[in-house]
Amino acid sequence: MSEYTAVPSQPTAAPSPSAAEPPRTAARTAARTAARAAEPTAPSGRRGRLARRLPVVGGLAAGSVLLLAVPAFAHVSVQPGQAEQGGYATINFKVPNERDNASTVKLEVTLPTDHPLASAMPQPVPGWKIDVTKSKLDKPLETHGKKLTEAVSKITWTADGGKIEPGQFQQFPVSVGQLPKTDQLVFKALQTYDNNEVVRWIEPAKEGAPEPDNPAPVLKLTPASGDGHGSGGAGAKNAGGDADDTRQAAADGSDTTARVLGGVGIAVGVIGVAFGVLAGRRRGA
C-alpha cells in the first residue's frame, strides 16, 4: 500500500452574479427585472379580447347616445303658431336652410281650400318676387256682407337677388283673415334649393303619433276673446308683441342649440372612438 492517502477534491464555488458581472451591468439587469415586474400582465384568451374591445364599444356607444339625443333641425313653420278665430293676424312663414351646400331660392305655400281665407296679403320681402294665385270657390264665402267667389290658394316667393344661404333663415309675412271657426289651418309648403332639390313640407301631424319627417306648417286657432271681434288683428299683435318676440327668440335659440349640440355630439363620439382604438392597441401591445 502507498503511504500516501488520497484527499477528495473540493468543488470550486461558482462566482456570484455580483462578482461575475461588472457593477454597471448588474445594475442594468436589476433595473430591467424591476421594470418587467411592474408591467401589468396582459389578459389572455377571451377575457383579453373582451378587455381590448370594451374601450372601442364604449366610445361608439357614447357617441351614438349623444347623437340620438340631439333634437331635430327646424323645419318650415308658422310664427306665431296660434291666432284667434274670427279675427285677422299677421303670420310669418319661417324658412330655415337645412343644407350645407345649397341655398333656398323658392318657397311655395298652398292655402287650405277646406277653410278658405277671404284675405291673404303677403308683405314685400327685399330680394324676393311674389306671385299670388287665386282659385274659384266651390261655395261662395260671405264676409262683411259680401260674397266672394274666389280666394287666394297659393303664394310663391322666388329669389330675385336674394336667397337663404346655409346657416340662415328667412321669414315671409302674410296678413290673413277672417280666420275661420276651426281648430287649425294646415299650409302645405314646397322649399326649393339652387341645386334643384325640392323638400315637400306637406305631411299632416296626427295626434298621439310621432312628428312626421316633413310636417306641414300649422296655425292653431283658439276661440275668440270676450269682445266677440276675434282680436287677431294689428291691435292684438301690438298688445302681444313682447310675447311674440319672446317666442320667436326661443325658436331661434332652439335652432342654434340643436346645431351646437349636434356638433358636440359628433365631436365627443369621434374622441371616444379614437380613445378606444388607442387604448385597445396599447393593451394589445
Side-chain angles (χ1 to χ4, degrees):
M1 291 182 65
S2 170
E3 56 185 32
Y4 296 98
T5 303
V7 179
S9 60
Q10 298 294 327
T12 304
S16 63
S18 58
E21 297 179 356
R24 182 175 300 178
T25 304
R28 290 177 179 175
T29 302
R32 286 196 297 268
T33 303
R36 290 173 181 171
E39 291 180 355
T41 303
S44 60
R46 182 177 300 177
R47 291 184 179 179
R49 289 193 298 271
L50 180 59
R52 288 192 296 269
R53 291 175 182 173
L54 281 176
V56 179
V57 175
L60 290 173
S64 300
V65 169
L66 284 172
L67 289 176
L68 291 175
V70 175
F73 290 159
H75 45 73
V76 175
S77 60
V78 176
Q79 302 289 339
Q82 181 174 297
E84 287 188 1
Q85 300 171 0
Y88 290 81
T90 298
I91 59 177
N92 293 276
F93 291 97
K94 181 181 177 183
V95 183
N97 190 328
E98 296 187 321
R99 300 294 180 265
D100 296 328
N101 57 354
S103 298
T104 298
V105 294
K106 188 176 182 180
L107 174 68
E108 300 172 72
V109 175
T110 300
L111 279 64
T113 56
D114 54 345
H115 296 287
L117 296 170
S119 175
M121 297 184 296
Q123 178 179 321
V125 178
W128 295 80
K129 182 179 65 174
I130 302 175
D131 292 319
V132 177
T133 302
K134 292 186 177 182
S135 300
K136 288 187 176 296
L137 300 175
D138 296 334
K139 181 180 179 181
L141 183 64
E142 294 187 10
T143 176
H144 299 296
K146 297 181 180 180
K147 289 186 177 182
L148 301 179
T149 59
E150 63 178 12
V152 176
S153 58
K154 185 170 69 172
I155 303 176
T156 303
W157 291 266
T158 305
D160 186 18
K163 58 183 177 180
I164 309 175
E165 298 182 352
Q168 299 179 355
F169 74 93
Q170 177 68 54
Q171 296 194 93
F172 300 92
V174 181
S175 175
V176 295
Q178 285 182 309
L179 297 174
K181 294 183 179 180
T182 184
D183 293 337
Q184 63 181 21
L185 293 177
V186 178
F187 301 89
K188 296 183 178 181
L190 302 182
Q191 181 180 8
T192 302
Y193 290 87
D194 56 10
N195 61 358
N196 296 324
E197 178 188 5
V198 178
V199 181
R200 302 170 62 84
W201 303 100
I202 62 173
E203 299 179 40
K206 297 181 180 179
E207 187 176 357
E211 184 180 63
D213 293 334
N214 295 309
V218 175
L219 175 64
K220 299 289 185 180
L221 298 179
T222 60
S225 57
D227 57 14
H229 292 90
S231 55
K237 180 173 178 60
N238 292 335
D242 293 340
D244 292 345
D245 292 342
T246 301
R247 284 193 294 268
Q248 183 61 49
D252 296 343
S254 66
D255 295 346
T256 303
T257 302
R259 296 181 184 275
V260 171
L261 290 177
V264 172
I266 294 173
V268 173
V270 171
I271 293 173
V273 172
F275 177 78
V277 172
L278 291 176
R281 287 180 178 176
R282 289 178 179 176
R283 296 195 178 199

